[in-house]
Amino acid sequence: MTTTWTITLTKGGRTKIGYPAAQLADDGDRITVRAPWAAEGVRDFGFVRFEPGDVFVEHFWRTRWYAVKEVRSGDGVLKGWYCDVTRPAVVRDGGILVEDLDLDLWVSADGKTVLRLDEDEFAESGLAASDPEAAAQAVRALDALEEQARSAHGLAALLG
């Protein structure tokens, strides 16, 4: 029996996107799901394109301040990993609720490109003033993800 979750990503107190995902694993801390690209059309970031047919294997933690999404094309070719800095996931009532804290990290499939994203949005969000502890956790999470991505074992060691 496959468990289906509704993933809800919020930002600034409002729902950014919601979509269904099939559970692959749950070890009590990390829950892993698979979902198709849920947004409308193509999103071209310049360094990667997300498009209909792409498949995301998403890892959410109940105790960590990030989510890691492995992105593959419809034919299974690995594009890379998109990492969202978030508050720890809240899992309940058939849903996984994740609050986006603006900071992101992109890691290419070959591990050679590691990009910190949206640091300007994070600075403009006002989180450092409104919730300094959460802001500090977010920065630490981004730093830890980048360090892991640049290590010899890359993000695969984190997800293994």
Side-chain angles (χ1 to χ4, degrees):
M1 179 174 123
T2 301
T3 300
T4 300
W5 294 94
T6 298
I7 311 299
T8 304
L9 181 64
T10 64
K11 185 173 178 177
R14 67 182 193 343
T15 298
K16 188 173 169 182
I17 192 168
Y19 54 93
Q23 179 177 312
L24 300 176
D26 185 354
D27 68 7
D29 183 25
R30 181 177 76 184
I31 186 164
T32 302
V33 300
R34 177 182 290 125
W37 169 240
E40 298 279 325
V42 174
R43 181 123 186 241
D44 190 340
F45 291 95
F47 50 86
V48 68
R49 286 171 50 104
F50 295 162
E51 51 202 336
D54 286 352
V55 176
F56 288 65
V57 174
E58 305 180 356
H59 305 269
F60 301 98
W61 283 265
R62 293 168 174 93
T63 59
R64 298 186 189 177
W65 287 71
Y66 53 77
V68 177
K69 301 169 183 184
E70 177 187 280
V71 184
R72 292 185 178 271
S73 63
D75 60 1
V77 174
L78 179 64
K79 292 184 174 187
W81 295 269
Y82 196 91
C83 308
D84 285 319
V85 174
T86 67
R87 291 184 188 270
V90 176
V91 181
R92 67 169 180 251
D93 302 327
I96 300 173
L97 179 64
V98 184
E99 183 181 347
D100 185 348
L101 298 178
D102 291 309
L103 296 172
D104 301 298
L105 187 79
W106 169 254
V107 182
S108 62
D110 63 8
K112 292 180 180 173
T113 302
V114 179
L115 302 172
R116 293 171 72 107
L117 307 170
D118 303 326
E119 290 179 296
D120 55 338
E121 289 179 30
F122 178 73
E124 293 168 8
S125 74
L127 188 64
S130 66
D131 190 343
E133 179 54 31
Q137 289 279 10
V139 170
R140 282 193 292 272
L142 182 63
D143 291 344
L145 285 166
E146 181 179 15
E147 182 178 329
Q148 182 65 50
R150 292 183 186 281
S151 74
H153 300 292
L155 287 177
L158 177 69
L159 303 175

